[in-house]
Amino acid sequence: MPGPIQTWPELRDFAVGLGLPKVEDAVSWGNPNLKAHGKLWCWWSPYVDAAIFKGDRDEREMLIAADPETFVMHDHYASFGCILVAAGRIERDWAEARLRRTWRDMAPKRWLAKFDASEV
């Protein structure tokens, strides 16, 4: 079984490998990222060696307090709803759960209802 995710290419391949529709490669502010449903989904920080996932500030603070070696912060992201996970400490199960939940949260509700119905 592969270990923790170490790099952007590894995270990108892992995320795309989940097979979720409406995911595409993109570039924002000169940096590669993945978008889901046309919105930023996950990317790699140009400021610190860490992956960035969508999340809220309260959850981020709880995660940092619980494991500050894994969940990190850079001043640039302080006002944004995102969670930074240090390179080499991105557990695949955690990343998969986070990506799937965020993907669902970002999906238009009407589209998601049709998607869920087709998955039955």
Side-chain angles (χ1 to χ4, degrees):
M1 173 155 200
I5 296 169
Q6 308 263 347
T7 64
W8 167 247
E10 194 175 347
L11 175 59
R12 183 232 170 259
D13 291 348
F14 176 82
V16 169
L18 296 175
L20 299 169
K22 306 284 186 177
V23 171
E24 62 187 6
D25 284 295
V27 175
S28 299
W29 305 284
N31 297 297
N33 60 70
L34 286 174
K35 289 187 176 183
H37 311 286
K39 302 172 193 168
L40 280 174
W41 186 42
C42 69
W43 63 104
W44 206 267
S45 172
Y47 303 106
V48 60
D49 196 15
I52 305 173
F53 298 89
K54 295 276 192 163
D56 67 52
R57 291 183 213 133
D58 291 337
E59 180 183 15
R60 176 180 69 206
E61 296 309 316
M62 186 252 335
L63 291 169
I64 291 171
D67 187 355
E69 291 182 28
T70 298
F71 300 98
V72 297
M73 179 46 61
H74 183 278
D75 290 344
H76 177 78
Y77 303 104
S79 64
F80 299 106
C82 57
I83 298 168
L84 282 71
V85 187
R89 299 188 64 91
I90 306 163
E91 294 297 332
R92 292 168 190 274
D93 289 345
W94 185 91
E96 180 174 354
R98 165 65 51 183
L99 289 167
R100 286 185 185 280
R101 184 173 82 201
T102 302
W103 179 88
R104 291 185 67 79
D105 289 347
M106 294 169 74
K109 300 309 172 209
R110 184 175 298 158
W111 182 91
L112 188 58
K114 289 179 186 177
F115 173 78
D116 286 343
S118 71
E119 291 290 299
V120 176

